[in-house]
Amino acid sequence: MLIHSASQVLTLIGPPQRGHALGELGIIEDGAVLLDGETIVAVGPSREMRAIYADEEQFDAAGRVVMPGLVDPHTHAVWAGDRSAEFEMRIQGKSYMEIMNAGGGIVSTVRQTRAASLKELKAQTRSRLVGMFEQGTTTAEVKSGYGLNTETELKMLQAILELDAEGPLELIPTFLGAHAVPAEYKDNADSYTDLVCNEMLPALKDWWQNQPATCNLLPFVDVFCETGAFTLAQSRRILEIARELSFPLKIHADEFDNLNGASLAAELGAASADHLVVTSLDDMVALGKSDTVAVSLPCTPFGLAEGHYTPAKDFLDANCILAIATDMNPGTAWCESMQFAIALACRYLRLTPAQAIAAATINAAAAIGKDDKIGSLEPGKQADVLILNAPDYRHLGYRFGSNLAHTVIKKGHIYPIGD
Ligand code: NIG
Ligand code: FE
């Protein structure tokens, strides 16, 4: 199929964009993209492409922007229940950590997620995944982490695998058994760390290897390295053991306190370090010297009504590969929209629309180790395409609160969204 007459095709061709190279969209004015089944075959100017591929099925983009599907590299999309009451408490002055220490926060979602059947968990999650897809996200990372025991963590991963198989949104799984210390280990984070290392990670590996052959890639292992969650030493233990077991790694670092988790991620060759609000200069330099992607989550401070965001310019000065994600979760950021994350990144990270788009496509793909398959419109890559109801890419970022997706194409399948 030939998609032609795009006002702009944003190819994003090339490697992940490091430091101030961020924002290279590779624009083809009046462009076209040729798809063959699940794969992108060619990109180029409409006039040439229409002449060469006149016999192909034609799709008239009619002056709209055509770009890679958005990639959301950090979500906690699977959970049961909600925490709307906590939102109200926060607005009335309680902090996220105060609520967490009083038995609310992550552990309250854990109670509800443990109680839910696999079927209920999938049903609650499905509507959110539909919301993400309709807003142009074609691939999303999804974490476990509301189980905090082996059985429920595996139930969450089972939900992720089954929802991925349902499609169309492609899901990349992450094990986040070290998301919080569960109530039964309160004040005993070291023993819970032992459980994660000695029981959960080996059980996960066994379980994973008995899944159907389609998911032979191991999931990521992530840790919430933060005061009140896991110390740097505990995070190191978990990630080192995960690495010995060949799991690829991620970390939550510097959301509230700087514990040097980002340097740990760089040292261990993690795919990404995420949040990065209060990161030290040394940590930024370590990330910039590594291939570990710096993932900023602007919906989180926005959701918490806090004023501090990732100092993106400093990360770019340090030559980091910067990506953005929604962090979609029931506590801090129930946001299904990468379009909204882009709008926030433009305002609070001071990224230009072009930089935010690169951070939400090719660099986001790198954060989940998929930049060889998705994140750009490049011959040989997966046919994941977003057509915007807009004539200029800068409408992403500029506009917010409405959905700019006109058509979403996933692995060559066309899903009309709206005019
Ligand atoms: O990334 N920081 C830790 N985890 C989530 C919040 C999860 C929750 O509150 O349920 C985050 O912000
Ligand atoms: Fe998170």
Side-chain angles (χ1 to χ4, degrees):
M1 181 179 75
L2 184 70
I3 306 168
H4 64 81
S5 306
S7 55
Q8 302 164 332
V9 169
L10 315 183
T11 63
L12 279 298
I13 283 178
Q17 301 180 4
R18 195 179 270 284
H20 290 285
L22 185 68
E24 195 46 69
L25 297 180
I27 298 175
I28 305 172
E29 307 275 348
D30 190 10
V33 183
L34 181 70
L35 312 180
D36 181 9
E38 290 195 2
T39 310
I40 298 164
V41 179
V43 292
S46 282
R47 240 186 35 192
E48 281 170 30
M49 298 272 282
R50 291 185 81 177
I52 306 172
Y53 302 110
D55 295 340
E56 298 287 340
E57 183 191 339
Q58 307 282 307
F59 185 110
D60 186 355
R64 298 187 174 86
V65 172
V66 173
M67 60 179 288
L70 297 166
V71 177
D72 191 343
H74 182 136
T75 85
H76 305 253
V78 177
W79 76 79
D82 77 66
R83 308 220 306 264
S84 47
E86 286 180 15
F87 170 66
E88 188 175 55
M89 284 161 75
R90 281 206 317 271
I91 294 302
Q92 291 169 331
K94 287 254 184 305
S95 77
Y96 178 70
M97 280 306 186
E98 273 168 357
I99 293 170
M100 180 158 159
N101 292 333
I106 293 171
V107 294
S108 83
T109 298
V110 169
R111 285 192 292 273
Q112 302 182 73
T113 303
R114 285 180 180 176
S117 68
L118 176 63
K119 192 164 171 229
E120 278 171 70
L121 197 53
K122 279 166 56 185
Q124 291 192 36
T125 303
R126 199 176 279 116
S127 66
R128 299 188 279 266
L129 302 183
V130 169
M132 295 164 81
F133 188 77
E134 287 180 350
Q135 301 241 4
T137 299
T138 46
T139 303
E141 183 257 18
V142 184
K143 302 174 196 296
S144 69
Y146 293 119
L148 310 187
N149 60 33
T150 308
E151 181 196 341
T152 316
E153 287 295 311
L154 293 184
K155 178 175 74 181
M156 291 187 73
L157 287 162
Q158 180 78 40
I160 296 169
L161 293 182
E162 291 183 16
L163 289 164
D164 171 59
E166 280 178 21
L169 180 60
E170 184 174 352
L171 305 180
I172 306 299
T174 293
F175 169 78
L176 180 57
H179 193 192
V181 179
E184 56 276 21
Y185 284 85
K186 197 168 173 1
D187 303 321
N188 208 351
D190 273 329
S191 302
Y192 183 67
T193 302
D194 289 341
L195 183 81
V196 172
C197 292
N198 303 335
E199 182 185 310
M200 288 192 187
L201 287 174
L204 170 66
K205 187 151 183 188
D206 268 4
W207 181 82
W208 197 267
Q209 286 172 339
N210 287 316
Q211 296 302 306
T214 43
C215 52
N216 43 15
L217 273 184
L218 285 171
F220 288 98
V221 169
D222 193 347
V223 179
F224 188 16
C225 178
E226 188 66 53
T227 308
F230 297 88
T231 64
L232 185 69
Q234 290 160 346
S235 303
R236 175 183 283 281
R237 265 193 69 206
I238 293 166
L239 293 178
E240 283 185 343
I241 290 187
R243 191 173 64 160
E244 277 169 31
L245 293 168
S246 315
F247 289 103
L249 309 178
K250 284 180 169 283
I251 197 166
H252 281 65
D254 305 330
E255 181 175 359
F256 303 108
D257 284 330
N258 176 238
L259 306 186
N260 305 115
S263 290
L264 175 65
E267 178 197 325
L268 297 180
S272 72
D274 304 36
H275 280 293
L276 307 178
V277 176
V278 293
T279 309
S280 72
L281 210 55
D282 283 351
D283 288 325
M284 290 182 200
V285 168
L287 279 183
K289 287 187 179 149
S290 76
D291 291 331
T292 301
V293 177
V295 179
S296 174
L297 309 169
C299 301
T300 308
F302 181 82
L304 290 168
E306 282 177 2
H308 293 103
Y309 289 78
T310 302
K313 184 179 173 298
D314 296 343
F315 280 88
L316 298 183
D317 286 346
N319 214 26
C320 294
I321 303 169
L322 183 70
I324 58 173
T326 61
D327 194 20
M328 205 247 282
N329 75 75
T332 61
W334 188 334
C335 174
E336 292 155 18
S337 174
M338 281 296 284
Q339 296 181 39
F340 189 62
I342 289 171
L344 292 179
C346 290
R347 285 161 186 76
Y348 298 112
L349 275 61
R350 295 274 161 188
L351 299 185
T352 63
Q355 290 177 318
I357 289 169
T361 53
I362 187 65
N363 284 10
I368 51 173
K370 291 271 174 206
D371 48 302
D372 58 335
K373 288 204 173 61
I374 57 172
S376 63
L377 300 180
E378 198 161 344
K381 280 198 173 177
Q382 201 164 287
D384 292 0
V385 183
L386 170 59
I387 303 180
L388 294 181
N389 251 329
D392 187 293
Y393 72 85
R394 287 168 290 204
H395 283 232
L396 269 184
Y398 166 47
R399 293 165 60 180
F400 54 95
S402 49
N403 182 7
L404 297 186
H406 174 270
T407 303
V408 181
I409 301 176
K410 179 64 189 177
K411 293 186 182 167
H413 293 283
I414 302 171
Y415 298 85
I417 306 295
D419 272 311

